Amino acid sequence: MNLMPMWLSREEERILEGERGFAAQKAMEILVALGEIFSADRLIPVGSVQISGVSYKTIGKEGLEWLESLSDGKAVVPATLNPAGMDLERWKEMGIPEGFAEGQLRIVRAFQGMGIQPLCTCTPYLLGNLPRPGEHLAWSESSAVCFANSVLGAMTNREGGPSAIASALIGRTPRYGYHLPENRMPTLRVDAPLRLKESFEFSLLGYIIGREAKNRVPFIEGVRGHPISKDELKALSASLAASGSVALFHMEGITPEASKAKKSLKLLISRKEFETLRIESKDLEMAREKLSTASEDEVDLIAFGCPHASLEEVGRIARLLKGRRLRRGVRLWVFTSLGIRRAAERCGYVAPIEAAGGRVYADTCMVVAPLEEMGFQAVAVNSAKAAVYLSASNKPRVFLAPTAKCISLAISKMGSEG
Ligand code: F3S
């Protein structure tokens, strides 16, 4: 294969020759290779970077050693991390094995050494890292990429961990894919005349669309109900990206590029160059059943926060648990970012959850924490993305249900057993 060389400025060439040290040189090599594979014409500046591949469970010893080899690198744009394999402060309480914790803490230190903020979350947009419409980014967490492109109107490809680190050290990314307006137009129409009530159902809808769409750009029509919330769009983004590899969707009347996308859709429909996917409410229940691999009686962990819970979601769980006690043998964990946990503490949401026997953990999630090593058999979740990832390994098995149903599994029939 003959790759076209990408144009580089003199400064970029000097970085490639090693003038800014080993890590910057390696980073530039990654960006140049990526740009040439995807026929990018040049590098463009990015406003922020979000890096996946942070959990010791995911990258292991080899990944850790590679990160440590980049110790002379320095991030030149704001950069944050995806969830790690444990709460960085409360890992002992979670029951994380010592050896795992040691590896995980070294990973976070290696990132910090490169000036990357130890904010481990897949929802940086809930923590003030809110990109502007049209801003170029290099984000790698798939749910955040889909949310940033679709709901915020920012422009990012779905980066891998190494290319996101490279962008953090160089401040640029190759110009291709979703950085180009012509690649942001719809390529699949979704007719979903549904009245959806909560994030759980949006998550199932995203799972069904993602499965069919693969990496196409869906234009979603027909979804009705109350005003659609950011948490529902967060759930939709996550599952679209989990069952397929959707990095951008449009939703009529909701997302910022939808009216422009609709014009392009009309043109393609008039030329009969369009496929339509129709989704009915019975499809949602079928998807839920397909993703549930455990029965409710087997559940020994209830885990919320995929993607990381918002303040409103922590508040809802707190209201449902207030004055209740968890059943013996069952644990309930809510995963969020450190910033949201602090805010939730101040709002009085953490106390009722923890008084009931649950925990609100930061920096990690049910997918990247070593649940299997910790002996869990079946986990109840309210997120199709979590179900997809957990059921891929089948350990622990998964029970997928709405938030209130998951909570009913956690509390004793009398609501007071210790
Ligand atoms: Fe976030 Fe973990 Fe789900 S990274 S989107 S909570 S799998």
Side-chain angles (χ1 to χ4, degrees), residues 16-27:
L16 194 57
E17 286 155 11
E19 197 182 281
R20 253 181 47 198
F22 174 80
Q25 184 181 31
K26 288 291 145 208

Side-chain angles (χ1 to χ4, degrees), residues 25 45 58 97 115 117 144 165 177 212 220 223 261 276 280 292 321 324-325 395 404 416:
Q25 184 181 31
T58 315
Q117 297 161 4
I165 295 170
E212 299 298 323
I220 306 170
V223 177
T276 298
E280 297 171 7
S292 283
L321 278 173
R324 318 299 289 265
R325 286 291 296 164
K395 280 180 196 155
S416 58

Side-chain angles (χ1 to χ4, degrees), residues 50 82-84 121-123 141-144 234 238 304-309 335 364-368 383 385-386 389:
Q50 194 267 352
N82 221 25
T121 181
C122 49
T123 57
E141 158 52 37
S142 63
S143 65
K234 167 165 83 74
F304 297 121
C306 175
H308 269 174
F335 295 105
T364 185
C365 79
M366 67 290 268
V367 171
V368 294
S383 151
K385 170 168 178 170
Y389 278 65

Side-chain angles (χ1 to χ4, degrees), residues 3-325:
L3 298 175
M4 278 291 288
M6 183 171 63
W7 180 84
L8 294 180
S9 68
R10 188 62 202 117
E11 184 205 355
E12 289 161 357
E13 279 175 349
R14 284 201 296 264
I15 297 173
L16 194 57
E17 286 155 11
E19 197 182 281
R20 253 181 47 198
F22 174 80
Q25 184 181 31
K26 288 291 145 208
M28 190 56 94
E29 283 171 9
I30 291 172
L31 296 182
V32 168
L34 195 63
E36 291 183 351
I37 289 167
F38 288 101
S39 306
D41 57 348
R42 59 192 159 90
L43 297 175
I44 46 172
V46 292
S48 66
V49 171
Q50 194 267 352
I51 300 166
S52 65
V54 177
S55 169
Y56 190 57
K57 174 179 164 184
T58 315
I59 69 168
K61 196 159 170 282
E62 277 176 18
L64 164 61
E65 284 167 0
W66 182 71
L67 286 174
E68 289 178 336
S69 77
L70 302 176
S71 61
D72 71 337
K74 279 286 164 276
V76 296
V77 287
T80 58
L81 299 174
N82 221 25
M86 60 189 202
D87 187 311
L88 298 178
E89 291 167 2
R90 299 172 77 184
W91 58 269
K92 282 197 179 141
E93 200 183 310
M94 280 182 81
I96 297 286
E98 291 270 346
F100 184 95
E102 204 178 293
Q104 186 61 70
L105 292 170
R106 268 175 67 188
I107 289 173
V108 173
R109 274 197 298 273
F111 279 119
Q112 276 185 281
M114 288 187 261
I116 293 165
Q117 297 161 4
L119 293 174
C120 303
T121 181
C122 49
T123 57
Y125 49 86
L126 297 180
L127 275 186
N129 185 356
L130 198 65
R132 294 185 309 277
E135 186 176 11
H136 294 281
L137 316 171
W139 285 18
S140 53
E141 158 52 37
S142 63
S143 65
V145 165
C146 193
F147 190 93
N149 274 326
S150 317
V151 182
L152 304 177
M155 302 171 100
T156 177
N157 288 321
R158 185 168 160 169
E159 300 293 341
S163 67
I165 295 170
S167 287
L169 302 186
I170 303 296
R172 285 166 218 176
T173 192
R175 183 174 170 273
Y176 73 95
Y178 294 106
H179 294 288
L180 302 172
E182 61 269 30
N183 293 333
R184 301 176 65 86
M185 290 301 107
T187 49
L188 173 70
R189 179 181 178 213
V190 178
D191 180 20
L194 304 169
R195 191 165 287 275
L196 302 182
K197 293 192 291 293
E198 61 166 305
S199 295
F200 170 69
E201 293 179 331
F202 279 82
S203 150
L204 291 174
L205 175 66
Y207 167 76
I208 298 167
I209 299 173
R211 226 175 25 181
E212 299 298 323
K214 309 275 189 297
N215 62 355
R216 288 184 281 178
V217 178
F219 187 96
I220 306 170
E221 296 175 302
V223 177
R224 299 274 175 269
H226 55 274
I228 295 174
S229 70
K230 72 167 183 328
D231 287 335
E232 290 162 341
L233 294 170
K234 167 165 83 74
L236 178 67
S237 300
S239 51
L240 277 167
S243 60
S245 46
V246 173
L248 167 66
F249 70 92
H250 303 288
M251 191 182 259
E252 210 177 7
I254 303 289
T255 58
E257 293 168 68
S259 47
K260 206 161 141 205
K262 181 130 195 178
K263 287 188 192 134
S264 146
L265 180 78
K266 277 188 180 156
L267 184 69
L268 291 166
I269 290 174
S270 71
R271 292 193 207 139
K272 302 199 182 339
E273 286 174 3
F274 233 76
E275 190 192 330
T276 298
L277 171 67
R278 188 174 163 90
I279 299 175
E280 297 171 7
S281 44
K282 68 173 171 24
D283 299 322
L284 301 183
E285 180 51 25
M286 278 161 59
R288 193 202 71 74
E289 280 172 15
K290 183 175 161 53
L291 285 168
S292 283
T293 52
S295 74
E296 56 181 85
D297 308 333
E298 297 172 281
V299 167
D300 52 5
L301 173 67
I302 288 97
F304 297 121
C306 175
H308 269 174
S310 67
L311 188 59
E312 293 77 11
E313 288 171 323
V314 181
R316 180 170 180 228
I317 295 164
R319 284 191 294 280
L320 288 166
L321 278 173
K322 195 165 183 191
R324 318 299 289 265
R325 286 291 296 164

